[in-house]
Amino acid sequence: MSIFDTANKYIPGGVNSPVRAFKAVDLEPIFIEKANKSYLYDINGKEYIDYVCSWGPLILGHNNEEIKQNVIKACENGLSYGTATKLEVDMAQFICENITHIEKIRMVNSGTEAVMSAIRLARGYTGKDKVVKFDGCYHGHSDSMLIQAGSGLMTEGIPDSSGVTKSCTMDTISIPYNNLDILEEVFKKHSYNIACVILEPVAANMGVVLPNDAFLKGLRQLCDTYKSLLIFDEVITGFRLSFGGASEYFGITPDLVTYGKIIGAGMPVGAYGGKKEIMDMVAPNGAVYQAGTLSGNPIAMTAGLTQLKILKENESIYSNINNMSKYLFENLKYIIKRNNFDCTINYIGSLGSIFFTREKVFDYMSAKKSDTKKYAKYFKNMLDKGVYIAPAQFEAIFISNEHNKEIIDKTLNIIEDSIKNII
Ligand code: PLP
């Protein structure tokens, strides 16, 4: 019996998160035993260059020595206390002192929890009901966020998952990314009943899709006009696009920000934060209830804070990963042109995507033009040749500080071969 057979016997679908099942690429999952720097090693000892990086957070690569040593030390003191610790105060202070638009922050355990809590807070603070999100943006799996992305011009309240009732999603409005006209229509239609607009300031869950120049600015203005909160879901972009995330990168100040895995350096962490006046509505100060037994866990705080301090103290990390990313994606563009491949590249900073379509990708509908069957074949070829990319088209490639030119050159050759072999 293979491990996957055993897994299937005891775990639904054999996995603890659906994309790991490799269904989108029509394969069985690989099982990873260990990782180091930019490499993963499966249980058969096969080595892969990793461009998933635990879905983004491992910006310093796998098994960073300083983080590992600090975590080992922290473990000596016990794994969890369920009480207040200095470590979580250090983490909050560090983020608030370094990210100008965050005056207070609350730790949670995942991006899903961060978003769910931020939305509750936005509703509590504004006294309004509706939430606007954008087709193709993923904000975790809380009920109100599970609206079918890309299901037309304006999807109102049609749940995307069995088990989510219509009443859970009837106040969620999902509209196309990068389209301010539709957002304005929505604001006009619902006049002053929109609690918040939430988005990935760079979308990374329909593949990487960049906001156009006017989009983020326009969002900010519309939210101000209609007295709604603007929430940047920076689970992917936070501390990656720049130290101050997308907010700093684009110079737009959201009212609330959600963070995820990156502030735990890969440990299970999330957080939401923003203006003091808003955050003070959270229990026990205010009437918006939110809690968590393991929130601010000492091991996760140690790992996360170590990573954030390394990033803060070594600005060259951002220029390095951005240069490596540029090197990868610009060469990829050249390879595509040289071979006349039916592909499009979107990238920004240290994340990007290759879409199997020639057309420009700027929202969910255009992303869906990508040929996912071709992606599946490409994925298999890449995996066979020892490169691990996301096992689904609508995800990102992440570069870490451990990806160097030599590794990227090797990858570029493998990508060229892998695409050639599907045509
Ligand atoms: N928000 C965004 C932008 C994400 O990419 C994700 C997950 O990747 C989430 C929220 C949910 O985070 P988690 O998987 O930690 O619940």
Side-chain angles (χ1 to χ4, degrees):
M1 206 185 214
S2 73
I3 294 199
F4 192 46
D5 291 336
T6 313
N8 264 309
K9 192 168 166 197
Y10 297 111
I11 308 173
V15 288
N16 282 315
S17 194
V19 74
R20 289 180 210 167
F22 283 26
K23 281 203 162 170
V25 289
D26 212 13
L27 293 172
E28 288 195 359
I30 50 170
F31 285 79
I32 297 301
E33 189 170 78
K34 61 180 185 180
N36 201 38
K37 298 186 186 292
S38 54
Y39 287 92
L40 293 173
Y41 301 86
D42 73 13
I43 49 170
N44 302 313
K46 183 168 173 177
E47 178 183 277
Y48 306 87
I49 305 171
D50 179 23
Y51 287 96
V52 180
C53 298
S54 192
W55 303 96
L58 304 183
I59 192 163
L60 302 175
H62 291 278
N63 215 9
N64 175 273
E65 191 58 31
E66 196 174 332
I67 297 175
K68 183 171 70 182
Q69 291 308 332
N70 285 353
V71 164
I72 291 170
K73 254 187 256 158
C75 287
E76 303 281 352
N77 296 328
L79 301 185
S80 175
Y81 323 122
T83 66
T85 65
K86 182 173 178 301
L87 271 170
E88 58 194 346
V89 180
D90 291 346
M91 171 67 107
Q93 185 177 3
F94 183 84
I95 293 179
C96 292
E97 284 181 355
N98 285 293
I99 308 293
T100 45
H101 51 281
I102 301 187
E103 293 171 346
K104 284 199 173 182
I105 188 159
R106 171 61 68 81
M107 291 294 138
V108 292
N109 301 287
S110 67
T112 296
E113 226 187 299
V115 168
M116 180 183 79
S117 310
I119 286 174
R120 184 182 304 146
L121 176 58
R123 286 178 165 142
Y125 178 78
T126 58
K128 300 174 186 181
D129 298 331
K130 303 262 178 218
V131 172
V132 176
K133 74 175 280 290
F134 294 90
D135 299 343
C137 283
Y138 179 65
H139 300 292
H141 64 95
S142 64
D143 285 353
S144 73
M145 288 291 97
L146 283 181
I147 288 276
Q148 171 70 44
S151 62
L153 200 64
M154 261 183 258
T155 306
E156 271 186 66
I158 301 160
D160 194 26
S161 162
S162 170
V164 175
T165 61
K166 190 143 195 306
S167 65
C168 286
T169 56
M170 64 188 229
D171 284 324
T172 310
I173 301 167
S174 189
I175 59 175
Y177 198 77
N178 270 330
N179 193 322
L180 276 179
D181 292 342
I182 293 176
L183 180 63
E184 193 160 10
E185 268 175 46
V186 167
F187 266 116
K188 281 186 185 147
K189 182 171 170 200
H190 296 280
S191 54
Y192 286 86
N193 194 24
I194 294 177
C196 62
V197 176
I198 183 165
L199 83 160
E200 294 179 72
V202 168
N205 286 284
M206 48 178 145
V208 171
V209 172
L210 277 52
N212 65 40
D213 288 345
F215 186 53
L216 297 180
K217 226 182 193 171
L219 274 176
R220 182 64 276 176
Q221 279 163 0
L222 282 168
C223 286
D224 288 344
T225 305
Y226 288 90
K227 306 213 174 330
S228 300
L229 299 189
L230 177 60
I231 306 178
F232 273 10
D233 181 347
E234 297 235 38
V235 166
I236 298 294
T237 49
F239 300 99
R240 177 170 277 280
L241 216 47
S242 68
F243 189 78
S247 324
E248 178 185 295
Y249 190 94
F250 295 110
I252 305 283
T253 305
D255 299 295
L256 290 174
V257 173
T258 55
Y259 291 124
K261 43 209 164 188
I262 197 160
I263 63 165
M267 304 258 331
V269 184
Y272 63 107
K275 291 178 183 149
K276 178 177 173 308
E277 180 194 331
I278 305 173
M279 291 304 292
D280 273 338
M281 288 220 46
V282 178
N285 280 6
V288 176
Y289 192 71
Q290 180 268 312
T293 300
L294 298 177
S295 299
N297 170 272
I299 312 302
M301 292 298 98
T302 301
L305 194 52
T306 308
Q307 172 153 286
L308 295 188
K309 282 185 175 168
I310 294 173
L311 291 173
K312 173 74 189 169
E313 284 156 18
N314 298 280
E315 269 178 40
S316 62
I317 291 173
Y318 288 100
S319 46
N320 183 45
I321 55 174
N322 291 348
N323 283 339
M324 286 303 114
S325 175
K326 189 171 177 195
Y327 184 71
L328 173 72
F329 289 112
E330 290 300 326
N331 275 299
L332 207 43
K333 281 184 186 172
Y334 175 70
I335 287 171
I336 288 167
K337 203 167 167 198
R338 189 175 67 206
N339 290 283
N340 202 20
F341 289 149
D342 291 334
C343 295
T344 298
I345 299 291
N346 280 357
Y347 82 97
I348 182 167
S350 57
L351 69 162
S353 287
I354 174 166
F355 295 94
F356 283 85
T357 170
R358 278 180 189 270
E359 291 179 41
K360 227 175 152 203
V361 177
F362 54 91
D363 64 5
Y364 189 52
M365 292 306 274
S366 49
K368 280 186 44 158
K369 291 193 176 139
S370 187
D371 186 334
T372 52
K373 289 202 172 76
K374 271 191 184 167
Y375 185 88
K377 288 181 192 159
Y378 161 69
F379 174 84
K380 184 176 183 317
N381 292 346
M382 295 284 281
L383 198 68
D384 286 348
K385 294 182 171 78
V387 179
Y388 183 66
I389 50 170
Q393 163 71 85
F394 303 113
E395 306 286 354
I397 285 172
F398 292 100
I399 305 293
S400 82
N401 202 37
E402 293 288 354
H403 288 88
N404 57 32
K405 246 182 173 173
E406 195 188 331
I407 289 171
I408 292 176
D409 278 335
K410 189 173 166 193
T411 306
L412 284 164
N413 286 332
I414 293 176
I415 294 178
E416 186 165 12
D417 272 5
S418 296
I419 300 181
K420 270 184 186 159
N421 283 336
I422 58 174
I423 296 166

